[in-house]
Amino acid sequence: MGIVPIVDVAPLYLGQKKGFFSSRGIELKMESAQGGAAIIPGVVSGQFQFGFSNTTSLMIAQTKGIQVTSVANGDATTGNTTTDVSGVAVKKDSPIKSAKDLAGKTVAVNTLQNIGDTTVREAVRKDGGDPSKIKFVELAFDQMPAAVSSGQVDAAWMAEPALTIAKAQGDRVVTSPFAETDPKLTLTAYFTSTQLTKSNPELVKNFAAAMTESLKYATAHPDEARQAITTYTKIDATVLKDLTLPSWPAEYDMASLEKLAQLGEQDGIFGDKKPDLKALFQ
């Protein structure tokens, strides 16, 4: 499996520990990548059988003719615009006070032309700023707190645990783009190649069932999910207790995915094609 080592994947590790995968004959081996965009080629080439990706990366892949299919939900925003699983952080003394002030500034995202810059643009737009004036640069999440404190960037769109680390060093969160975009925004999904769904449908079915069971268990046992994060990130106890956990619904929210696709079209990230959401999120 190709994964991004962020809070969102806690149910996967928790499900592995609880035996939800092994009881279905699946032994998991996780490999880390910077973002979903880097995992997709690995899944299509057969390097990984399954992958974890944000939903925009999957839409982009599909519009490029890459044969991928989502098999289980990943996670969703908390819907809370003050404390969410991602946020744009700035230095404590920064003149940036709200989303609209990001216009004309340099903002770090983990992958360009993706869910980060799309939702940041929407938050700026909603706050009355001009999203076309933001300069986005690419950085790994774990490098972002240092980049903000050193002034390398004006702001950074961070996922957890980077966001809590940034707050601990005194940074301020000026907007929570996921929650601002849609209070039920489906952020990520677990996916495979369309080829694997045909060549080994039993494996795909068992993986999807194990993942869904893991999501439900994580939702019912947030403290165990929080603890699972220590198994795949170098996180200290103070950061761990302050982390904002995402929502882990067992189903996709299709209305929010339609909105995300519409924003992606507006940003021109799909070229001249539209994603077929019904085919992608089965």
Side-chain angles (χ1 to χ4, degrees), residues 56 86 88 99 109 114-126 136 157 175-182 185 187 260 263 267:
T56 296
S86 87
V88 178
V109 290
N114 214 287
I115 194 168
D117 44 19
T118 290
T119 54
V120 170
R121 282 192 191 97
E122 176 64 357
V124 170
R125 202 178 281 122
K126 279 188 162 179
F136 288 104
W157 169 73
T175 183
S176 302
F178 288 158
E180 291 287 357
T181 298
D182 190 298
L185 189 63
L187 309 175
L260 197 58
L263 291 171
D267 288 343

Side-chain angles (χ1 to χ4, degrees), residues 16 20 33 49 52 67 80 92 110 135 185 190 241 266 272:
Q16 181 187 37
F20 301 153
Q49 284 160 303
F52 168 84
Q67 300 292 303
N80 186 327
K92 189 162 61 177
N110 70 320
K135 186 193 174 195
L185 189 63
Y190 295 91
K241 72 176 171 55
Q266 202 173 319
D272 55 3

Side-chain angles (χ1 to χ4, degrees), residues 244-264:
T244 300
L245 297 178
S247 298
W248 285 301
E251 307 288 334
Y252 315 113
D253 184 273
M254 288 308 288
S256 76
L257 288 170
E258 281 159 19
K259 187 169 188 181
L260 197 58
Q262 188 189 337
L263 291 171

Side-chain angles (χ1 to χ4, degrees), residues 270-282:
F270 303 131
D272 55 3
K273 290 196 175 164
K274 282 186 177 186
D276 179 351
L277 300 183
K278 284 195 175 121
L280 186 54
F281 300 101
Q282 291 174 0

Side-chain angles (χ1 to χ4, degrees), residues 1-61:
M1 280 207 65
I3 60 113
V4 187
I6 53 178
V7 167
D8 313 49
V9 296
L12 177 69
Y13 285 85
L14 188 52
Q16 181 187 37
K17 185 185 170 192
K18 288 287 166 189
F20 301 153
F21 291 90
S22 57
S23 68
R24 293 174 169 90
I26 296 171
E27 186 188 335
L28 292 177
K29 183 188 173 197
M30 273 68 116
E31 288 186 31
S32 293
Q34 182 164 321
I39 294 169
I40 289 167
V43 169
V44 175
S45 70
Q47 176 193 353
F48 306 127
Q49 284 160 303
F50 296 92
F52 168 84
S53 173
N54 72 72
T55 47
T56 296
S57 287
L58 293 173
M59 293 180 202
I60 292 169

